[in-house]
Amino acid sequence: MAKKEKQNSFEENLEKLQEIVDRVDSGELGLEQMIASYEEGLSLIKTCKSILDGAELKINKLVEDSEKTEPFDVQD
Amino acid sequence: MSAIPGSAQQVLSVTQLTSIVRKTIEAEPSLEGVSVRGEISNFTRHANGNLYFSLKDKDAQIRAVMFSRSAFGLNFKPAEGDEVVAAGSVSVYEKRGEYQLYVRSMTPAGRGALFLEYLKLKKKLADEGLFDLSRKRTLPMFPRRIAVVTSPTGAAVRDIINVIKRRFPALELTVCPTLVQGDQAPPHIRTALKRAAALPGVDLIIVARGGGSFEDLWCFNDELLARDVAACPIPVISGVGHEIDETIIDFVSDLRAPTPSAAAEIAVPDIYELRLRLRVVGDNLSRRLIETVRYTRSALKNIELTLSPKRFLERLDRRKQTLDEYASVMRRSVSYKLETLKKQIEHERERLASIDPRRVLARGYAMVSDAKTGAIVKSTSQAPHGALLRVSVSDGDFTVRSEAPATQRQKSLSFDD
């Protein structure tokens, strides 16, 4: 569940980040708003990066006739 | 009819014997109206339209002929190597002593039949609109959980995992094992697909299989499977076989990938690109901020300058200069006006001089006025005896006293006459 939330926030963060970029690019921001947007953007980037850095592919396999999953080993 | 060696018996001609064999074979009910499956070999098409060939399988073969009137009704073009089902009856061609199959009808079997079936199903589903682009669902940009419907032991699952591990490892991948070949495969795949779609949080399904022959991939041409994929609530990417392979599932899936690896590539973004994008966005934000600070600073400087004493004095000087300019303009216009007036006065003076009565005096006339009142004497009544009068001549005045009584001049009758 924690994983899911984390994943959710990656996409959301990226969307928010895009919004900030659009706002900043509009050239309508005053200095204070600009500083606020900059800080918000930077923290979003940091969050996104940390999600990517901490990403680890979770691989599993459906167990036959069950809703359960079990670890899946890739045979090389 | 049995012949006992050495006993006196009837000797048959070849023709007789062959005829007996033919009749025996033709009388055998199991050889009449028979269907046989085999591969065509030694195929020849005679100029008259008759087809001659052999049907063979691993261990045996039989000569076959299809006469032109029957061959005319074929809905495919038989060729060397084709797997077919031929229907007809067995008889003997006496001239050559060969038994053979007299083919009355023939249909493709194996690959040929499968291909016809495939084309038929493709057309049917296309007509139903199952392949329409408008039906295709959008794939998630950042899938959280991908279900891979495939064989757990094949190269396909390994390829997919490797690609996703490399490109975007921030997700959960669940393998949904299934058969991917053979008659049992379609229901197996359908079950796996249903279970995949039911996984909690799954937002993308990849149905994959490595390369194989047309027959190997046949299970992906299953009509029910095709309908399941079309109706699947989760977007489906198909990655079946190699680039050139084409199966029905490729048309009903939301996206067709040429291979399992390609399916994985399409399924997830590239983490390196994402990192790069994040860096670019960060750089842009910094640049924008710096720009804004610079701009704000220069705006402040402008305001500061405007308010400085130096600027203030400069502005005052400018105003003064303007005032000076106004003043000089006014001065110029006033002196011009004065000049004009002066000229006008001079003109008037000259005009007045021309009518000055003293100029008449210069011609010898005199002007008489009462010395006391200054009134001009125009009538005798104004100069009674003893009146003191002033006489003005051209160069001055003198005073006289009136002596003789005034005499009035006759009205100028004489002139009028």
Side-chain angles (χ1 to χ4, degrees):
Chain A
M1 206 57 206
K3 175 101 180 165
K4 191 179 164 188
E5 274 165 22
K6 211 174 162 193
Q7 290 300 330
N8 257 339
S9 73
F10 182 80
E11 192 166 0
E12 278 168 13
N13 283 341
L14 214 62
E15 268 169 31
K16 270 194 215 153
L17 196 55
Q18 191 55 53
E19 279 169 27
I20 288 172
V21 169
D22 291 345
R23 212 158 59 220
V24 163
D25 278 342
S26 74
E28 288 163 5
L29 292 190
L31 182 61
E32 258 175 82
Q33 294 161 300
M34 182 61 86
I35 291 171
S37 299
Y38 175 75
E39 281 174 352
E40 197 185 345
L42 239 50
S43 106
L44 285 171
I45 290 173
K46 215 171 134 191
T47 314
C48 285
K49 270 186 181 159
S50 78
I51 291 172
L52 292 183
D53 289 342
E56 200 187 338
L57 184 59
K58 205 169 134 194
I59 309 171
N60 49 39
K61 184 179 88 167
L62 261 180
V63 179
E64 206 164 339
D65 298 326
S66 154
E67 295 303 309
K68 293 198 187 78
T69 55
E70 61 184 20
F72 179 77
D73 290 326
V74 187
Q75 296 144 345
D76 284 308
Chain B
M1 206 175 289
S2 57
I4 300 142
S7 69
Q9 55 175 280
Q10 198 184 348
V11 174
L12 301 173
S13 70
V14 174
T15 303
Q16 281 172 320
L17 177 60
T18 305
S19 176
I20 292 165
V21 172
R22 181 174 65 81
K23 280 174 185 155
T24 309
I25 287 175
E26 283 179 355
E28 170 57 43
S30 63
L31 292 179
E32 174 59 38
V34 73
S35 281
V36 60
R37 178 172 171 156
E39 185 191 317
I40 292 176
S41 71
N42 299 318
F43 181 84
T44 52
R45 182 186 295 272
H46 198 273
N48 61 18
N50 292 351
L51 309 180
Y52 299 97
F53 52 97
S54 295
L55 284 178
K56 64 170 190 180
D57 58 20
K58 212 160 78 240
D59 300 315
Q61 58 178 298
I62 181 174
R63 289 293 307 163
V65 58
M66 191 171 195
F67 293 119
S68 57
R69 61 174 179 279
S70 302
F72 185 71
L74 284 173
N75 65 353
F76 74 109
K77 215 172 164 187
E80 187 77 17
D82 278 1
E83 188 86 2
V84 293
V85 172
S89 53
V90 178
S91 184
V92 172
Y93 181 43
E94 295 175 23
K95 232 176 183 164
R96 297 180 65 161
E98 279 179 2
Y99 74 96
Q100 56 184 11
L101 183 69
Y102 289 82
V103 180
R104 278 189 294 272
S105 68
M106 190 158 68
T107 55
R111 189 175 196 139
L114 288 180
F115 193 66
L116 282 184
E117 205 179 309
Y118 164 76
L119 290 179
K120 224 170 95 186
L121 178 60
K122 187 174 161 188
K123 186 178 183 314
K124 178 180 169 187
L125 297 181
D127 289 348
E128 281 183 37
L130 251 59
F131 303 164
D132 289 357
L133 283 180
S134 59
R135 293 192 76 261
K136 308 281 180 201
R137 283 154 300 198
T138 316
L139 307 179
M141 201 183 292
F142 301 100
R144 297 184 303 260
R145 188 174 190 187
I146 298 179
V148 183
V149 175
T150 191
S151 157
T153 55
V157 73
R158 211 170 54 223
D159 291 349
I160 288 171
I161 288 171
N162 285 338
V163 169
I164 291 180
K165 216 181 238 169
R166 167 168 59 77
R167 277 177 68 93
F168 191 72
L171 56 85
E172 181 176 359
L173 188 149
T174 302
V175 179
C176 304
T178 176
L179 293 175
V180 287
Q181 185 170 338
D183 292 346
Q184 284 311 302
H188 237 261
I189 300 169
R190 291 175 62 206
T191 305
L193 183 69
K194 281 201 186 79
R195 295 182 69 198
L199 283 172
V202 72
D203 45 18
L204 185 63
I205 296 174
I206 298 176
V207 179
R209 188 206 191 281
S213 70
F214 184 76
E215 288 83 357
D216 289 344
L217 304 180
W218 179 248
C219 53
F220 293 98
N221 292 319
D222 185 76
E223 180 175 352
L224 293 176
L225 174 61
R227 293 189 184 281
D228 279 3
V229 169
C232 182
I234 310 295
V236 176
I237 299 178
S238 67
V240 173
H242 292 308
E243 283 82 355
I244 49 157
D245 297 324
E246 183 185 276
T247 54
I248 293 292
I249 198 172
D250 290 330
F251 296 102
V252 287
S253 66
D254 296 292
L255 206 135
R256 185 220 162 166
T259 61
S261 301
E265 299 256 352
I266 292 165
V268 294
D270 185 350
I271 198 164
Y272 293 106
E273 275 169 31
L274 282 176
R275 282 188 202 281
L276 185 69
R277 191 171 143 202
L278 286 175
R279 207 168 67 216
V280 169
V281 168
D283 288 352
N284 280 347
L285 280 179
S286 303
R287 211 189 55 236
R288 289 285 185 182
L289 181 65
I290 290 167
E291 276 171 11
T292 309
V293 167
R294 243 181 228 154
Y295 172 79
T296 311
R297 195 174 276 159
S298 88
L300 264 177
K301 192 148 212 163
N302 276 340
I303 292 168
E304 202 183 359
L305 275 177
T306 313
L307 293 179
S308 77
K310 184 166 167 272
R311 269 293 175 88
F312 190 72
L313 288 177
E314 272 174 20
R315 274 221 311 281
L316 214 62
D317 283 347
R318 269 208 301 280
R319 296 273 161 91
K320 252 162 80 182
Q321 195 185 342
T322 314
L323 273 179
D324 286 351
E325 276 164 17
Y326 283 153
S328 91
V329 167
M330 271 166 69
R331 252 198 313 276
R332 267 204 306 279
S333 78
V334 165
S335 67
Y336 175 76
K337 188 77 187 168
L338 279 173
E339 207 56 41
T340 315
L341 283 174
K342 248 165 123 184
K343 274 183 187 148
Q344 208 173 339
I345 287 167
E346 185 59 28
H347 177 73
E348 289 297 326
R349 200 182 60 78
E350 275 172 15
R351 209 170 59 87
L352 281 173
S354 70
I355 57 168
D356 189 343
R358 274 171 299 188
R359 289 179 73 157
V360 181
L361 300 186
R363 295 198 336 244
Y365 293 95
M367 192 171 66
V368 180
S369 56
D370 192 296
K372 277 188 205 139
T373 65
I376 302 291
V377 175
K378 295 178 198 163
S379 157
T380 51
S381 62
Q382 285 176 280
H385 179 73
L388 200 62
L389 303 168
R390 172 171 292 137
V391 176
S392 298
V393 289
S394 67
D395 57 346
D397 302 346
F398 57 90
T399 309
V400 297
R401 197 167 292 275
S402 169
E403 297 213 334
T407 50
Q408 260 185 320
R409 194 183 298 136
Q410 288 285 309
K411 293 263 178 184
S412 323
L413 288 175
S414 55
F415 287 111
D416 293 339
D417 290 340

